[in-house]
Amino acid sequence: MNLNSSSQRIPFGNKTNSYSSAEPKRKTDLVFSNRKANQENKPFRSKPRKFSDSSKHTTLVESSACKQHVKEFLNELKPLEEKGFRAVLEGVHQKIGKVPSEYHWKVFLEVAELAKRHGKGEAARELLEKVRFLQPHAQQAWLEQSKLEEESGALAQARDLLLQGLRHCPYSDQLSIKYIKLQEKLQDLTPARRVLGSAWTYSEKNWKILVEGALMEARAGNFEKARNDFQTLMANCSAYGAVFLEAVKFEEKWGCLGEAMKNCEKGLEMNPRYGPLWFAYLRILDKLEYQINLGKVKEFKTLEIIQKKQDLVSRGKDMLTKELIWKLYIDYALSLERKGNLEKTRQFLKEAVLTCPNNLRWKAFMIGARVEVRAGNHQVAVKLLREALEEVPAKQKASVLVELGKAYELAGELEQAETTMVKACEFAFQDWKIHLERITFHMRVSEFEKALEITKEAIVKFSSTGRLWAALIQLKHTSKQYIAEELHFKAFALALMEVPKSGEVWCEGARLRMNPFTPFYDLNKAEIYLNFAIQFTPQYGDSFIELLRLYIIRKEYTKIKELKRLCVNADPNYGMLWFYCKQSGLESAAEVWKNAKAHVITELCCIKTLYESPLNSKHIWQDHMWSAIAHLNWSLKNHTQIDPATKYKLVFGSETIKCDI
């Protein structure tokens, strides 16, 4: 897909992307236009620049009076929203006089957001143009209209809007970051680097822009440039713990754990009370110990890392607040659990329960239950979860019930597990994720028809949720009867009408195209679909694994290196295939990619002949090709024959504990 063309459109995007504006030049244009001629031929400066202070900061600040007037006005309009957007516009026309004229721009901005929710793209454009005319320093108007143009495929127009917005709001980190990302899509980094060059000369308040610039260089493969930029940022913005955290994540992502550890230590020295750095440091130490035990790291010793972790927890007691110290105990307990030290694990989990705020104790109980499940103590886990149910707020009760259902499932009490999952859905009738958990439960116990029935019911309630539509397509792809009736592809076509920008849906569509035993087999279209999937939902790891399979089938090995770079930079965090290929929660995206590559190559070596005789609709493998790893598909269809470790992995993924604390 050529993103350099301004006429390139996203599938099923807004067809009305016409836009024209002639903004008068202002003094702030000097930021870009006065030196335009020199910048055209001036090479990007490779040496890191020093920050220069600037007191001129013209960011628009909304007054409390403005917010209050707009809030009261919107409350008057709220009853009209049920009658449709036209009724809202009529209400605005009749009542706008109640709001002082200097606040009209804010009203139009809020109504434009309402227009977007109602699918009125053209009306939203007109309203945003009014906002920009009335208040050109309102960065949100430039940002929102740029998003509209980008969603309709007019990337060049979106870029021009951002550039104009930066002339009026030269200190806006949101506009600058969006501009940098858009230039990446256009595959032209030079203009983005010019904006970054200007940001270096303003003040250290622009650190968010500069962090994005360093990450941009990393995504472009310029790792040394990215590392130098982070080093400069850490030297000049040492008061911002988030700068060190981003530098740590950059090194961690590419497996440079030694450098990541040094950045953590520097960051904690300068920002000893910045909580996220403490957790990042412990995670890096865990990964280092894991790599040492595998023989992949030799410059550190296991005892040295263990001592560092103990010192970290000891110092954390004095540095972290009560709201954070219990989380450090949780993380350290899980670190001990991964090594099989259950006695100390329980000791620190107990400390976490005693030190955490009373309204959060249910989370500590839930994590303790997961530890006991893994240890095979199912009855203890059930008791802990019932204790959590007594203390959990009503809004979170469904999450604990899902956890309880999984504990019953691993204990082999499937009827009790299903009853608990049903109860969870009743408590969370507005949360699609709980319904998805129930669907995947029935898939894990090989009840695909039941899972399909629940999926249809969930889609009626949550018709705009891509992951539910993806589940529907996948379930229809697991049945020879549905494949013969082409219901799997009809479900895909219907899903695109409802959620055209769901990466999971496009990935399932690609899987349909990669099944050689259906009339829809087409690897070229599968590649297009997977590129859309990665563009829309880069955090979904399965899309990368499926595209890897496609390149290997077509023997396009030269494309695999670039795909790996995209995958590692995206750092996916979910997907059934992704978790299946992740051997440990401590593995990075690069290591998961290596595991996935080994899985796919091994499998294709065994079944490569299947792709040489496509369109054999009665082939025994026809309904086993719904993901890149047939062994995973077999495991889901034969749950009674898999070992406990594989069953645990299917239930919880690759994470020893995965709970949002």
Side-chain angles (χ1 to χ4, degrees):
M1 184 175 63
N2 182 14
L3 293 176
N4 287 314
S5 173
S6 62
S7 62
Q8 180 70 29
R9 294 180 179 275
I10 292 172
F12 299 91
N14 191 336
K15 304 299 182 187
T16 57
N17 66 343
S18 58
Y19 170 79
S20 62
S21 65
E23 295 292 333
K25 289 193 174 182
R26 299 174 182 270
K27 291 182 179 180
T28 48
D29 288 350
L30 294 174
V31 175
F32 295 92
S33 60
N34 279 1
R35 287 185 278 177
K36 183 177 180 181
N38 292 332
Q39 287 176 336
E40 291 295 335
N41 299 317
K42 187 176 180 179
F44 178 67
R45 186 178 298 184
S46 58
K47 295 181 179 179
R49 304 188 185 192
K50 295 284 185 179
F51 283 108
S52 63
D53 191 20
S54 174
S55 59
K56 297 179 180 180
H57 199 65
T58 58
T59 302
L60 179 68
V61 179
E62 296 176 27
S63 66
S64 57
C66 173
K67 293 178 181 178
Q68 185 61 30
H69 276 293
V70 174
K71 183 178 180 180
E72 292 174 357
F73 183 80
L74 293 176
N75 286 337
E76 291 184 25
L77 291 179
K78 198 167 185 180
L80 299 175
E81 192 172 347
E82 297 179 0
K83 299 179 182 179
F85 183 68
R86 181 178 291 277
V88 173
L89 284 182
E90 291 174 355
V92 172
H93 179 71
Q94 294 170 3
K95 301 178 182 183
I96 191 68
K98 296 181 180 180
V99 181
S101 59
E102 61 267 28
Y103 304 148
H104 284 185
W105 68 271
K106 182 64 175 175
V107 171
F108 291 137
L109 184 61
E110 296 293 338
V111 177
E113 181 62 30
L114 182 63
K116 286 179 64 179
R117 291 201 298 269
H118 282 262
K120 307 293 184 180
E122 196 58 40
R125 280 187 179 85
E126 293 177 5
L127 288 163
L128 290 170
E129 287 175 4
K130 288 182 180 180
V131 175
R132 294 191 290 106
F133 175 77
L134 294 171
Q135 182 50 269
H137 295 293
Q139 61 175 2
Q140 201 62 27
W142 299 100
L143 194 63
E144 291 301 324
Q145 189 159 357
S146 172
K147 288 179 181 178
L148 274 176
E149 301 302 339
E150 183 182 0
E151 289 170 1
S152 67
L155 300 185
Q157 291 178 4
R159 174 199 60 198
D160 293 343
L161 278 165
L162 290 171
L163 198 56
Q164 291 177 54
L166 282 169
R167 289 170 181 163
H168 294 287
C169 314
Y171 297 95
S172 169
D173 53 356
Q174 292 185 53
L175 288 175
S176 296
I177 290 171
K178 183 66 178 176
Y179 181 76
I180 290 167
K181 290 182 177 179
L182 193 56
Q183 286 297 150
E184 279 192 88
K185 282 189 176 183
L186 291 166
Q187 300 177 1
D188 184 6
L189 300 185
T190 303
R193 287 171 176 148
R194 288 176 187 152
V195 170
L196 290 165
S198 299
W200 281 107
T201 61
Y202 290 156
S203 73
E204 65 179 29
K205 293 179 181 179
N206 291 327
W207 65 267
K208 291 182 181 178
I209 303 172
L210 300 171
V211 164
E212 186 60 39
L215 295 174
M216 178 194 76
E217 297 294 350
R219 290 191 290 266
N222 304 321
F223 306 118
E224 287 304 317
K225 175 69 175 65
R227 180 172 287 165
N228 289 339
D229 285 350
F230 273 120
Q231 292 296 329
T232 303
L233 279 164
M234 288 188 289
N236 289 278
C237 301
S238 57
Y240 297 93
V243 171
F244 291 92
L245 184 63
E246 290 297 335
V248 170
K249 290 179 180 178
F250 160 72
E251 299 290 355
E252 179 185 6
K253 188 180 293 184
W254 289 97
C256 303
L257 298 178
E259 289 296 323
M261 185 179 71
K262 292 177 184 177
N263 291 340
C264 279
E265 291 169 348
K266 290 179 188 176
L268 287 175
E269 184 179 348
M270 302 302 300
N271 304 272
R273 297 190 181 278
Y274 185 67
L277 269 178
W278 290 84
F279 307 129
Y281 191 25
L282 182 56
R283 184 179 68 248
I284 295 300
L285 292 174
D286 273 342
K287 288 189 173 185
L288 269 172
E289 186 178 0
Y290 177 72
Q291 296 288 349
I292 291 169
N293 293 335
L294 292 177
K296 296 181 179 180
V297 174
K298 298 182 180 180
E299 58 265 33
F300 300 101
K301 302 296 182 183
T302 302
L303 291 177
E304 177 187 357
I305 300 301
I306 292 174
Q307 186 61 50
K308 282 181 178 292
K309 288 198 287 187
Q310 292 174 349
D311 293 343
L312 180 71
V313 175
S314 178
R315 287 187 292 122
K317 296 177 183 178
D318 300 323
M319 291 295 182
L320 294 177
T321 63
K322 185 179 179 180
E323 289 73 21
L324 291 177
I325 185 62
W326 76 279
K327 294 183 179 181
L328 187 64
Y329 287 148
I330 288 285
D331 283 359
Y332 188 58
L334 299 183
S335 172
L336 294 168
E337 191 263 350
R338 278 188 285 267
K339 295 190 295 183
N341 193 337
L342 281 177
E343 183 179 350
K344 282 193 174 182
T345 297
R346 293 182 177 119
Q347 177 185 336
F348 277 94
L349 285 173
K350 182 179 179 180
E351 289 291 328
V353 171
L354 294 174
T355 55
C356 77
N358 291 336
N359 64 321
L360 297 176
R361 286 201 308 170
W362 65 274
K363 292 189 176 183
F365 286 132
M366 204 159 88
I367 294 170
R370 185 79 68 87
V371 170
E372 297 299 341
V373 166
R374 186 171 176 83
N377 303 320
H378 299 289
Q379 295 304 318
V380 176
V382 169
K383 289 181 181 179
L384 286 170
L385 289 169
R386 292 197 177 282
E387 190 71 30
L389 281 172
E390 294 294 324
E391 301 192 18
V392 65
K395 290 183 178 179
Q396 302 291 334
K397 200 164 187 176
S399 299
V400 181
L401 286 169
V402 166
E403 202 73 16
L404 182 59
K406 290 180 178 180
Y408 283 131
E409 179 185 349
L410 288 169
E413 301 177 30
L414 299 185
E415 289 185 9
Q416 189 68 31
E418 182 179 1
T419 302
T420 307
M421 288 288 188
V422 171
K423 192 175 180 181
C425 289
E426 291 172 355
F427 270 98
F429 58 91
Q430 293 294 337
D431 190 349
W432 62 267
K433 292 181 181 179
I434 303 300
H435 292 266
L436 183 62
E437 289 283 2
R438 187 183 171 201
I439 293 166
T440 54
F441 160 71
H442 285 286
M443 289 182 68
R444 290 193 299 268
V445 296
S446 307
E447 296 176 353
F448 288 86
E449 287 299 322
K450 181 67 174 177
L452 182 59
E453 179 185 336
I454 298 167
T455 304
K456 291 176 181 178
E457 294 173 359
I459 286 175
V460 172
K461 297 179 182 178
F462 312 99
S463 59
S464 60
T465 303
R467 292 179 70 176
L468 293 176
W469 282 103
L472 176 70
I473 300 165
Q474 187 174 86
L475 286 165
K476 288 187 178 293
H477 199 184
T478 61
S479 165
K480 285 188 176 182
Q481 178 184 346
Y482 293 141
I483 293 173
E485 296 173 4
E486 301 183 358
L487 295 182
H488 60 324
F489 200 83
K490 291 177 182 177
F492 171 59
L494 184 60
L496 288 182
M497 295 176 66
E498 293 291 333
V499 283
K501 295 176 184 175
S502 167
E504 297 92 347
V505 166
W506 282 105
C507 182
E508 291 303 324
R511 284 167 168 163
L512 304 185
R513 292 291 187 181
M514 294 174 71
N515 189 336
F517 310 118
T518 72
F520 302 104
Y521 181 63
D522 189 331
L523 294 181
N524 292 329
K525 289 186 177 179
E527 183 178 14
I528 294 172
Y529 293 178
L530 288 169
N531 282 326
F532 283 143
I534 292 170
Q535 177 186 347
F536 293 138
T537 317
Q539 65 271 25
Y540 184 55
D542 286 19
S543 301
F544 293 98
I545 298 175
E546 294 293 351
L547 192 52
L548 171 66
R549 171 169 63 136
L550 187 147
Y551 287 156
I552 295 175
I553 292 171
R554 295 201 308 198
K555 300 181 180 180
E556 296 177 343
Y557 306 120
T558 56
K559 293 183 178 181
I560 293 177
K561 184 177 180 181
E562 175 64 16
L563 180 63
K564 177 185 177 181
R565 186 174 65 81
L566 286 174
C567 179
V568 174
N569 278 312
D571 196 15
N573 53 29
Y574 74 99
M576 190 176 291
L577 281 182
W578 187 258
F579 282 141
Y580 187 81
C581 296
K582 195 171 185 178
Q583 302 302 319
S584 165
L586 297 175
E587 287 187 338
S588 65
E591 291 166 318
V592 179
W593 170 267
K594 185 177 179 181
N595 298 337
K597 189 176 178 181
H599 274 296
V600 172
I601 290 175
T602 300
E603 187 158 297
L604 287 179
C605 287
C606 298
I607 63 172
K608 62 181 180 180
T609 55
L610 298 182
Y611 292 95
E612 298 172 1
S613 57
L615 302 182
N616 183 0
S617 60
K618 295 183 180 180
H619 200 284
I620 191 173
W621 280 76
Q622 185 188 38
D623 57 346
H624 284 77
M625 304 293 287
W626 42 277
S627 83
I629 301 178
H631 185 266
L632 170 61
N633 306 340
W634 178 89
S635 298
L636 291 172
K637 287 196 170 185
N638 300 271
H639 76 283
T640 58
Q641 301 179 40
I642 59 176
D643 59 276
T646 302
K647 184 178 294 186
Y648 183 92
K649 193 172 182 180
L650 289 175
V651 173
F652 290 119
S654 60
E655 304 288 350
T656 304
I657 302 290
K658 190 178 181 184
C659 181
D660 183 13
I661 59 174

